[in-house]
Amino acid sequence: MSDQPDQARMTVQMTADDYAEFAAYVYKRPELRRRRYRSHLRFAVLMIVALLAYLIWQTWDGKGPDWGRILPVYFEGLAVGLGILALLALAYEFALPPLVRMNTRRMLKKQPDDLFLGQHRLDFGSEGISDTTATASGRMDWSDIRRVEETPQHLYVILGTLQGVIIPKRGQDAATLEAVRAQLRAHVADTQLAPSA
């Protein structure tokens, strides 16, 4: 395959902040956001049905429910319940990313791990991405990569809904970043990268 770019290599310094930013980034990705919205919707439907069932049960007099007593209480309870659910959902969307960052940093500071933190040499070749540290090495085959996304500070190689490889761009020259982007474009069908220079 003569149209395949040559191998690319970069050395990066991984920090707890890189992992914290990735955790928050993944949390905000559209597929997880849709999953959370579906969960909120299921909870709202469950609350609507459960509240109605509870009020029918409480007012059942042997002949049927007392709708005159149920409906005002039901709509009042529904308004309060759905209002609280909406506030919690909004708080969840805006308050959780900073908490995710904080917890990720705290976890990595409590248990610093040479496997995750520190210097990593990344080699982008015909078979995949090799990651080598002072104590370990591994490779991700191109076929295991679902998507690649770029932010101003990082390249994220997405392996699954919550998994990925973090590639910090800080300290890299333009030629190295372009060689890495060329490898990613050549091997991964779904890329969201900065345009070529």
Side-chain angles (χ1 to χ4, degrees), residues 24-55:
Y25 180 82
V26 166
Y27 179 81
K28 294 177 182 178
R29 291 188 75 233
E31 63 190 79
L32 282 181
R33 186 166 280 166
R34 282 191 300 273
R35 186 185 294 178
R36 285 194 305 276
Y37 289 160
R38 285 191 301 267
S39 176
H40 297 326
L41 184 60
R42 280 192 301 269
F43 186 77
V45 169
L46 178 65
M47 183 179 65
I48 290 166
V49 171
L51 180 60
L52 183 60
Y54 174 75
L55 290 173

Side-chain angles (χ1 to χ4, degrees), residues 24-179:
Y25 180 82
V26 166
Y27 179 81
K28 294 177 182 178
R29 291 188 75 233
E31 63 190 79
L32 282 181
R33 186 166 280 166
R34 282 191 300 273
R35 186 185 294 178
R36 285 194 305 276
Y37 289 160
R38 285 191 301 267
S39 176
H40 297 326
L41 184 60
R42 280 192 301 269
F43 186 77
V45 169
L46 178 65
M47 183 179 65
I48 290 166
V49 171
L51 180 60
L52 183 60
Y54 174 75
L55 290 173
I56 289 172
W57 176 68
Q58 286 293 310
T59 62
W60 193 270
D61 62 2
K63 299 176 195 167
D66 183 353
W67 293 107
R69 286 178 44 210
I70 288 177
L71 291 179
V73 174
Y74 177 69
F75 288 120
E76 186 177 304
L78 197 58
V80 170
L82 290 176
I84 290 171
L85 178 62
L87 288 174
L88 289 174
L90 285 173
Y92 196 73
E93 289 300 314
F94 295 107
L96 213 53
L99 290 174
V100 166
R101 283 187 194 98
M102 183 180 69
N103 286 337
T104 303
R105 285 185 189 106
R106 186 179 328 143
M107 178 189 70
L108 287 169
K109 285 179 183 172
K110 280 184 181 177
Q111 300 175 342
D113 191 335
D114 293 338
L115 186 62
F116 295 109
L117 301 176
Q119 186 171 309
H120 288 247
R121 188 185 78 222
L122 301 171
D123 292 299
F124 301 80
S126 60
E127 296 181 14
I129 303 172
S130 297
D131 181 357
T132 306
T133 68
T135 58
S137 65
R139 187 183 80 211
M140 288 139 300
D141 294 332
W142 292 117
S143 61
D144 295 334
I145 298 171
R146 286 184 28 200
R147 181 174 171 82
V148 179
E149 299 176 10
E150 185 169 6
T151 70
Q153 294 83 23
H154 297 93
L155 292 163
Y156 293 130
V157 178
I158 308 296
L159 303 173
T161 304
L162 299 172
Q163 298 175 316
V165 177
I166 305 162
I167 304 172
K169 297 192 305 186
R170 68 180 169 277
Q172 303 298 322
D173 59 50
T176 300
L177 287 172
E178 195 49 48

